[in-house]
Amino acid sequence: MITVLAHKSPDTDATGSPLIWAWYLNEIRKTPARAILQGTPNTEAAWMLTRWDKDMPEIVTELGEGDQVVICDTNNPAELPGNINDTEILEIIDHHMLFGGIKTKTPINITIRPLACTATIMHDLIGDDMASAPDWVKGVMLTCILSDTLEFRSPTTTPHDRAVADKLAADLGINIGEYASEMFEAKSDVSAYGDEDLLRMDSKEFELEGKKLRVSVLETTAPQVLLDRKDALLAAMPTVASADGADEVLLFVVDILKEEATLLVPNDQVKQIAEASFGAKVEGDNVVLPGIMSRKKQIIPALKF
């Protein structure tokens, strides 16, 4: 049985891509496979599972030595189970920069392409066999692409991502604008989540000049709902940083419609990072960063002291 998994703090692509590839392995390659998650999916990903009538994959945080594994939507060991190098990694499918640190027992297939979404890459790899894909596979692919591109607003969007999304939507008879509005409404409903949960909901671990950062992004069409919780979120940051072995938590609240991010600034060190990285003048405990929407393309590559 092959285990297909993506990164911790699963967003829509990290929830959907393992399901897509497990379907492909089971139904096309006739190889037993299962999709797993490393944590509870965010609200948009949970909506996607309900919308396409899919059960939530089992949450698994540790793998067995020698387990056969396909890794999706990451190649960063910090975002994978601690014993990932003890498994038998068969394949990596990703759209992030190459981190290094993963060791394999044999040569493997690695597909890393400069596209906005892992699901777009999977669509290409599946190729002609997409003709036999059920609606739920196409629907999950479409949701992942619209999520990662923020309905084509993100600077990570490529013409190919958009063409694949348009084709999937046409096959399904879906209006992309209406569908994306439903997705973003679900993504924006975080009322059931505590402050520490929000700081970890969609986050990546990143090391900057010897400092360990948890870089969190909350994409929403209702940013004020989150900013109204600013004081509580700021107060929770030291607790989350300490529990997760990080020096700082950076939280970016991305306004999907205005195409800008608000970075919360709990202390002088984060202020220093904000001013050095984005050329911003920070006054107070937050700063608006116009045009900043993508952690992968605009935030992580820019970070510096």
Side-chain angles (χ1 to χ4, degrees):
M1 174 76 71
I2 296 174
T3 296
V4 188
L5 78 161
H7 56 75
K8 298 175 182 177
S9 304
D11 57 8
T12 301
D13 196 21
T15 301
S17 288
L19 284 167
I20 294 165
W21 205 247
W23 166 81
Y24 176 64
L25 293 174
N26 280 309
E27 300 300 326
I28 305 301
R29 292 190 181 176
K30 305 302 180 184
T31 303
R34 63 166 184 162
I36 66 166
L37 301 177
Q38 292 193 75
T40 302
N42 69 17
T43 52
E44 182 185 75
W47 175 88
M48 173 184 69
L49 294 174
T50 300
R51 173 64 176 78
W52 295 104
D53 196 25
K54 299 303 296 179
D55 292 333
M56 188 176 79
E58 180 183 2
I59 295 176
V60 177
T61 57
E62 294 184 8
L63 298 171
E65 185 173 348
D67 281 359
Q68 293 188 313
V69 173
V70 173
I71 298 170
C72 306
D73 199 29
T74 186
N75 68 90
N76 182 355
E79 298 176 355
L80 293 163
N83 66 336
I84 190 64
N85 286 336
D86 296 326
T87 67
E88 183 183 354
I89 300 169
L90 303 177
E91 189 165 14
I92 298 172
I93 307 169
D94 191 18
H95 66 129
H96 294 90
M97 65 181 179
L98 186 64
F99 278 87
I102 291 178
K103 296 181 180 180
T104 65
K105 301 183 186 304
T106 60
I108 67 169
N109 289 321
I110 299 177
T111 307
I112 300 177
R113 295 179 181 171
L115 295 169
C117 184
T118 306
T120 307
I121 301 171
M122 289 183 171
H123 177 276
D124 295 348
L125 293 176
I126 294 170
D128 291 342
D129 289 312
M130 280 300 301
S132 62
D135 282 355
W136 76 259
V137 169
K138 296 178 181 179
V140 167
M141 277 186 175
L142 176 63
T143 313
C144 292
I145 295 169
L146 293 177
S147 177
D148 268 8
T149 65
L150 297 176
E151 195 192 354
F152 315 129
R153 294 175 175 88
S154 172
T156 62
T157 307
T158 70
H160 187 57
D161 291 294
R162 185 159 197 158
V164 171
D166 286 341
K167 182 180 186 304
L168 292 168
D171 289 348
L172 294 165
I174 284 176
N175 178 287
I176 283 180
E178 294 174 359
Y179 186 79
S181 292
E182 291 184 56
M183 288 173 49
F184 298 153
E185 182 178 352
K187 185 196 292 275
S188 301
D189 182 8
V190 294
S191 56
Y193 290 83
D195 301 313
E196 293 181 18
D197 295 327
L198 287 178
L199 293 174
R200 294 187 175 102
M201 179 178 285
D202 186 358
S203 64
K204 304 275 189 180
E205 298 175 24
F206 180 72
E207 188 166 319
L208 179 65
E209 297 182 19
K211 298 287 187 180
K212 293 184 178 180
L213 307 178
R214 178 170 288 284
V215 184
S216 301
V217 172
L218 293 174
E219 299 162 341
T220 178
T221 55
Q224 196 57 47
V225 172
L226 291 165
L227 296 176
D228 285 345
R229 297 173 61 172
K230 179 183 62 176
D231 290 346
L233 290 166
L234 289 166
M237 286 180 177
T239 301
V240 169
S242 177
D244 295 356
D247 292 285
E248 296 291 349
V249 175
L250 306 184
L251 175 61
F252 296 81
V253 178
V254 173
D255 186 328
I256 296 171
L257 301 180
K258 285 189 176 181
E259 301 186 18
E260 64 183 22
T262 298
L263 170 63
L264 301 196
V265 183
N267 55 42
D268 286 342
Q269 182 159 262
V270 175
K271 176 181 178 180
Q272 179 185 350
I273 293 172
E275 293 186 338
S277 304
F278 304 105
K281 178 62 177 175
V282 178
E283 297 178 355
D285 56 13
N286 69 94
V287 60
V288 176
L289 306 172
I292 298 298
M293 300 184 72
S294 169
R295 173 172 46 209
K296 176 160 62 76
K297 191 167 186 176
Q298 296 174 300
I299 295 174
I300 293 289
L303 291 180
K304 59 185 177 182
F305 284 109

